[in-house]
Amino acid sequence: MKTVLKATTTGLLLTFFMAPSVMAQDQGSIARGGRLFDKWCKEIKAEVPTESHKLYPAANEKYADNPGANWRCKECHGWDGMGVDGAYASGKHATGIKGINGMAGGDPAAVTAVLTGDAHGYGDKLSEADLMDLANFVTAGQIDMDVYIDRATKAPKGNAVQGEQVYNTVCANCHGVDGKLPKEMPPLGSLMGNPWEIMHKVLNGQPNERMPALRAIDHQVATDILAYLATLPKE
């Protein structure tokens, strides 16, 4: 029994920590960039702009007059970074704006130039460090979500049994064994209608919250966590 437990534990630790190319970039910077992509105002404790972003299309009546939404990078480009070609191709978040996936593997300085240009207008809103982190996320932090999530069914391509083991070790202390904590947020099981958002937050953390970023783990382990979340109560 002890031999099996030791081997299993060792295997889990190796699987858990050996993410592909994990040391190729500063994972902390990339994760923070992911949180800025999510909701930069909250991450840096800044006031929400009072006017809507100039690039956000007026045709989207739900968010066109909501600066708190349309200044978020994810609102135009989608949680999967694919914009009009991804999960935001249709529905209430559709904008017709292209994704950022074409900038993956590119030059962070080029991304910073776009962000600080007149069109995007982040030059007076984000610090040099913020811009660097966001550019690092765009160029080195994007993943192909289709590898881990079935686009048609929204089902994570993971192992729920293995995901349960990781969840109970890493996540349950804050979210509870049934995913119903903290009380001020919806049950985790009810959030799996948007698995791309949950994958993003598992990897990068929640803006300006204590939730840890699990970017340094193998992304398949993160997918296993999502598969387990899909089994949790929705109410």
Side-chain angles (χ1 to χ4, degrees), residues 56-118:
Y56 197 84
N60 186 315
E61 297 179 357
K62 185 172 181 63
Y63 297 109
D65 295 323
N66 184 349
N70 61 47
W71 271 90
R72 295 173 70 183
C73 306
K74 76 89 191 172
E75 193 57 47
C76 289
H77 303 296
W79 294 108
D80 55 8
M82 296 180 65
V84 68
D85 297 315
Y88 278 8
S90 60
K92 63 183 181 180
H93 295 285
T95 62
I97 295 174
K98 70 178 183 179
I100 58 170
N101 52 316
M103 304 191 85
D107 181 2
V111 176
T112 298
V114 171
L115 291 170
T116 56
D118 290 340

Side-chain angles (χ1 to χ4, degrees), residues 17-41:
F17 287 107
M18 290 179 65
S21 304
V22 68
M23 299 307 294
Q25 296 287 338
D26 181 345
Q27 297 298 303
S29 171
I30 292 172
R32 184 169 183 271
R35 296 193 296 275
L36 291 166
F37 180 86
D38 178 344
K39 188 179 286 189
W40 60 270
C41 290

Side-chain angles (χ1 to χ4, degrees), residues 182-203:
K183 293 294 186 182
E184 59 268 21
M185 69 174 287
L188 294 181
S190 71
L191 302 177
M192 288 306 296
N194 188 351
W196 302 279
E197 176 180 3
I198 304 306
M199 184 68 162
H200 182 93
K201 291 181 184 293
V202 167
L203 294 179

Side-chain angles (χ1 to χ4, degrees), residues 106-227:
D107 181 2
V111 176
T112 298
V114 171
L115 291 170
T116 56
D118 290 340
H120 278 78
Y122 287 97
D124 62 347
K125 294 176 174 59
L126 298 178
S127 70
E128 184 176 340
D130 297 334
L131 291 166
M132 178 186 68
D133 290 342
L134 184 51
N136 282 341
F137 169 74
V138 171
T139 57
Q142 297 187 68
I143 66 170
D144 184 353
M145 292 274 192
D146 286 343
V147 172
Y148 305 103
I149 299 169
D150 185 281
R151 185 172 297 279
T153 66
K154 300 183 180 181
K157 301 177 183 179
N159 185 313
V161 174
Q162 294 182 12
E164 180 180 12
Q165 301 304 311
V166 181
Y167 176 89
N168 287 337
T169 303
V170 179
C171 313
N173 190 51
C174 291
H175 290 291
V177 294
D178 56 2
K180 293 185 177 182
L181 295 176
K183 293 294 186 182
E184 59 268 21
M185 69 174 287
L188 294 181
S190 71
L191 302 177
M192 288 306 296
N194 188 351
W196 302 279
E197 176 180 3
I198 304 306
M199 184 68 162
H200 182 93
K201 291 181 184 293
V202 167
L203 294 179
N204 302 296
Q206 183 81 332
N208 198 27
E209 299 285 353
R210 297 181 65 184
M211 177 178 173
L214 302 184
R215 172 163 289 279
I217 71 173
D218 190 292
H219 299 333
Q220 186 57 51
V221 177
T223 311
D224 293 343
I225 295 175
L226 263 66

